[in-house]
Amino acid sequence: MPREPALHIPTPIPWNPAPDHHGAAPMPVLPSVSGISWVTLPDGTRTLAYTHPTPTMAAPATAPPAPVPAWAKTTALLAPTIGGGIGAAGIGISYATPGVLAMAEALWALIALIAVGTLAPLLLRTSRATGSRGGAPVQHVTQNITATGLFGKATGTINQR
């Protein structure tokens, strides 16, 4: 361990001061900075010096951690796959949006065509019956067709009432 240089105080401190009432020599007050303390040099001089903190005891070794369960590994491996699938679906939907909108408009046009085709005869029939001339007579046409043999000539009549 490398040694750090000692910090010498410019004024010497006498090491044999007068003892106090217990018979011990008073120790000068240490500075309030942590990591600095009084040390005795090999020649017997007491001085302030930077000191290293005492090493703490290492934590006792514990049991090895439990292995990761298989379901957790499977879930961890599937998570990016599922996320990538969702991202790819979003990109596909963004590319398909114009076509979906065009098909929706075509479907609305088809619905409107079916509605007009269904409702037009009803509207025309009611408007003709309630016109200013009065209701027009309904005509019934019947047709009878007969044929003899496989390649025979067909004859028929049309009856109008």
Side-chain angles (χ1 to χ4, degrees), residues 145-155:
I145 300 173
T146 60
T148 58
L150 186 59
F151 297 104
K153 184 177 177 185
T155 59

Side-chain angles (χ1 to χ4, degrees), residues 141-145 156-159:
V141 176
T142 59
Q143 191 173 16
N144 296 324
I145 300 173
T157 59
I158 298 176
N159 301 321

